[in-house]
Amino acid sequence: MNKTVLLTGGGRGLGRATADRLAARGHRVLLTARTRAAAEDAAAAIRRQNPGARLEPRWVDLSSLDEVRSFAAAEAARGEPIDVLFHIAGILQTSKKRRLTVDGYEETLAVNVLAPFLLTALLMPALERSASARVVTVSSRLHLPGSRGAPVDFDFADPQLEHGYHPDRAYKNSKLAVLWFTYELQRRLAGRAITANAVCPGFVPSTAAASTRGLERLFMAYVLPHMSFATSVDAATDSLVFMAVDPALDGVGGKFFGECHEIESSPQSHDAAQARRFWSMAERLTGLA
Ligand SMILES: NC(=O)c1ccc[n+]([C@@H]2O[C@H](COP(=O)([O-])OP(=O)(O)OC[C@H]3O[C@@H](n4cnc5c(N)ncnc54)[C@H](OP(=O)(O)O)[C@@H]3O)[C@@H](O)[C@H]2O)c1
């Protein structure tokens, strides 16, 4: 059955590839990018290959809670069901200088998890209009302890990393928080026809390269994609499409996936008390409380 999928990050990278693939399968895609130009360009490029694609460009800067609120209000006012809300947009900073959003929040936390948290809450009426809806959020295996780079270390006394900021830590903390959000959302949705899952697309250097500069960018774009541990855009897109529409996931929620099967997330991600604590914090930070 064809679905209506609202996905973020649709302007480039894995979000755009997923929009392309879903549209090719006949699904209706609300292709959401940061700007109107990016959304319209991506939709036009996909339509050039597939003139029948049912794509509707949408735009919202996820680093602004006001923009997320207005976007969600406009979407909710359409009164249409959303079958799949797919949070694909995400950032991994390279600079060691901590960046703040217009709301004064650390940007990685804001874009990677606070925006999905708020958008999900505000689009709940549209998800409830679907006979069976999914909320899927992209996390990363990098949240696992021992992964390369500065370690994950989510300190509830300093969630914005005012002390000890490192871009890797900000990224890993945000992807751990995505899992807390997903698991807690699934607990809160119990008994309803909406599921929440998270996914890691694998290490996809050719799209991740966009977040890097100079020599590192060349290395990511041209060398790493040939390594055995790298995932191709095609394979990553397969697993994202699986998350969005595969019937095998009907009624399945509260899980973490990679390569179209369930994978382990860290023990900390399963700590329900921390997940509830993060939920309350996110409610307060997004003004939902
Ligand atoms: N590639 C990997 O190896 C890898 C591994 C694990 C997880 N992931 C996750 O997978 C997702 C997609 O990654 P990717 O590789 O496709 O990355 P990408 O090519 O860098 O794409 C990131 C997307 O997020 C959007 N975005 C960033 N900030 C935004 C904002 N403030 N408002 C709206 N959109 C914003 C970007 O839009 P702009 O063009 O406007 O910047 C872009 O469309 C991310 O969540 C990433 O963390 C990737």
Side-chain angles (χ1 to χ4, degrees):
M1 223 176 66
N2 287 338
K3 307 274 187 194
T4 294
V5 182
L6 189 156
L7 60 79
T8 65
R12 63 183 168 90
L14 297 177
R16 174 162 161 178
T18 305
D20 190 349
R21 190 82 68 77
L22 287 169
R25 290 190 177 194
H27 299 288
R28 173 173 171 245
V29 181
L30 313 180
L31 185 159
T32 309
R34 190 197 305 240
T35 63
R36 178 176 188 159
E40 290 182 343
D41 286 356
I46 295 171
R47 273 200 214 96
R48 276 196 289 279
Q49 305 299 317
N50 173 10
R54 294 194 301 147
L55 288 166
E56 294 173 34
R58 301 276 201 270
W59 48 93
V60 55
D61 184 340
L62 297 167
S63 70
S64 158
L65 294 176
D66 270 352
E67 278 213 28
V68 173
R69 282 188 207 101
S70 334
F71 171 77
E75 216 47 59
R78 293 173 199 267
E80 295 173 352
I82 292 175
D83 301 306
V84 183
L85 173 58
F86 206 157
H87 302 292
I88 301 180
I91 47 173
L92 169 53
Q93 310 280 9
T94 45
S95 166
K96 296 218 169 95
K97 188 169 170 349
R98 182 172 160 268
R99 286 168 54 109
L100 298 184
T101 65
V102 287
D103 302 294
Y105 298 150
E106 190 281 312
E107 193 179 13
T108 317
L109 183 78
V111 171
N112 291 7
V113 65
L114 295 180
F117 179 87
L118 181 60
L119 197 52
T120 304
L122 299 178
L123 290 180
M124 203 43 79
L127 294 164
E128 281 169 342
R129 279 185 212 110
S130 166
S132 149
R134 297 181 184 185
V135 178
V136 186
T137 312
V138 178
S139 178
S140 169
R141 287 179 177 91
L142 281 180
H143 85 281
L144 290 164
S147 64
R148 67 184 154 83
V152 64
D153 179 15
F154 197 105
D155 179 357
F156 280 93
D158 183 21
Q160 312 284 346
L161 288 174
E162 287 172 54
H163 310 285
Y165 176 80
H166 189 288
D168 292 350
R169 176 167 298 128
Y171 183 78
K172 293 175 180 187
N173 286 359
S174 75
K175 295 302 189 182
L176 167 64
V178 160
L179 289 157
W180 281 333
F181 159 62
T182 298
Y183 297 157
E184 182 61 21
L185 178 61
Q186 181 63 34
R187 286 188 279 271
R188 290 172 188 239
L189 287 171
R192 289 154 79 179
I194 309 174
T195 58
N197 287 299
V199 59
C200 175
F203 174 48
V204 192
S206 43
T207 56
S211 319
T212 56
R213 298 275 170 276
L215 273 182
E216 191 188 357
R217 186 172 201 156
L218 292 175
F219 190 63
M220 293 273 272
Y222 298 106
V223 180
L224 288 184
H226 302 288
M227 301 293 166
S228 58
F229 51 80
T231 305
S232 68
V233 173
D234 263 0
T237 308
D238 281 346
S239 83
L240 299 187
V241 168
F242 172 83
M243 297 305 300
V245 295
D246 199 286
L249 293 191
D250 285 350
V252 175
K255 299 192 183 301
F256 185 37
F257 287 84
E259 296 83 38
C260 308
H261 57 79
E262 189 181 348
I263 56 174
E264 274 299 312
S265 63
S266 68
Q268 191 179 8
S269 72
H270 291 290
D271 184 327
Q274 290 196 44
R276 280 195 302 276
R277 194 170 174 193
F278 175 75
W279 189 279
S280 304
M281 193 191 83
E283 279 183 326
R284 187 171 42 75
L285 293 177
T286 58
L288 277 177

